[in-house]
Amino acid sequence: MTALLALAVGACGSDSTDGSDSSSPPQAQTDTAAPAETAAPTTSVTPPPPAETTPATEPTDTDAPESAPDEAAIAQAALLQPEDLGDGWQDLGPGSAFPMTAELAASVPSCAPFVDVVFEGNSGVWAHTTLSRPEVVFTSVTVFPTEAEAAAMVAATATPEFDQCWADFNEVAIVEMPLGIDSASYESVEPPDIELGGDSSSLLALDGTITLGATSIPDSCVCAFVQQGRAVVAFHSTAPVFSAAARRDAIATAVARVDETVV
């Protein structure tokens, strides 16, 4: 607001009296006679015009900065749910998730070229869960800032060099889980022929053995990585859990969920 100031100077004056005798003739004024005071002119000071101001405007939706999306919440919402797989499945929660950390991968020499691209600790935001019936599906969603970064993760998993990394990494990762497994051994094998969909994808398969005390148990994994936009879905389970058609449909459901959730 611009303040205004008004100044006024008031008029000053005095009454003039005639000092002559009434019987004497009027005498001419001489130079020595005090001149009659006259009223001083009235003056005023005009204040400067107020400075122009721009009226305040109410902020609009377009004025407000857009808040950054909560990528962790988006990744969590994009995860496959038990009902997506049908009756009898339950969510065991992130506490039973398959460990995909870059720190663990860094302990595996064959994974050195892939630590910063494929594993948790890359530029994506991860969410994990484990679904059970009691067969187990390990699944995760990784949301990246860009589609190029998501595509780079999947492209790395599709290289021949990653096959050995994946076998070696699983030998370490499965022992890290709270399952009481003492040791594990895996080798890369030919994956089943499954159409995965998505923008890009890779499919790996492992056969091996896990050891609990003196007991050795056959184990396997059919492991899919599918890029959809700027997200990557991982879907891993043992080979007998799904037929090829059922696995294809389950992965397609996981990809569709990501497509609906991640923009």
Side-chain angles (χ1 to χ4, degrees), residues 30-227:
T30 66
D31 293 339
T32 58
E37 293 185 7
T38 58
T42 301
T43 62
S44 64
V45 176
T46 304
E52 292 186 6
T53 59
T54 303
T57 58
E58 292 295 325
T60 64
D61 291 341
T62 57
D63 295 329
E66 293 185 5
S67 58
D70 185 345
E71 301 286 56
I74 292 172
Q76 190 68 37
L79 280 172
L80 197 67
Q81 300 299 306
E83 58 270 22
D84 295 330
L85 294 180
D87 296 337
W89 289 91
Q90 59 178 328
D91 189 340
L92 300 183
S96 59
F98 185 73
M100 279 287 289
T101 66
E103 181 181 6
L104 191 58
S107 70
V108 180
S110 59
C111 290
F114 307 102
V115 170
D116 297 328
V117 181
V118 174
F119 296 92
E120 186 170 8
N122 58 16
S123 58
V125 176
W126 291 63
H128 310 259
T129 195
T130 302
L131 306 179
S132 175
R133 193 186 55 178
E135 305 97 332
V136 171
V137 171
F138 299 119
T139 185
S140 66
V141 171
T142 309
V143 178
F144 289 91
T146 66
E147 292 187 15
E149 291 163 286
M153 175 179 172
V154 172
T157 66
T159 61
E161 294 79 12
F162 187 72
D163 287 351
Q164 188 61 55
C165 163
W166 190 235
D168 296 343
F169 178 80
N170 273 263
E171 292 178 355
V172 175
I174 200 70
V175 175
E176 288 289 312
M177 298 186 69
L179 302 174
I181 297 173
D182 297 310
S183 63
S185 176
Y186 294 101
E187 64 176 353
S188 179
V189 296
E190 187 71 20
D193 185 13
I194 300 174
E195 180 63 42
L196 295 178
D199 295 326
S200 65
S201 62
S202 68
L203 188 65
L204 299 92
L206 301 173
D207 275 345
T209 303
I210 58 176
T211 302
L212 295 86
T215 305
S216 295
I217 302 171
D219 193 27
S220 63
C221 180
V222 178
C223 312
F225 296 92
V226 183
Q227 176 218 351

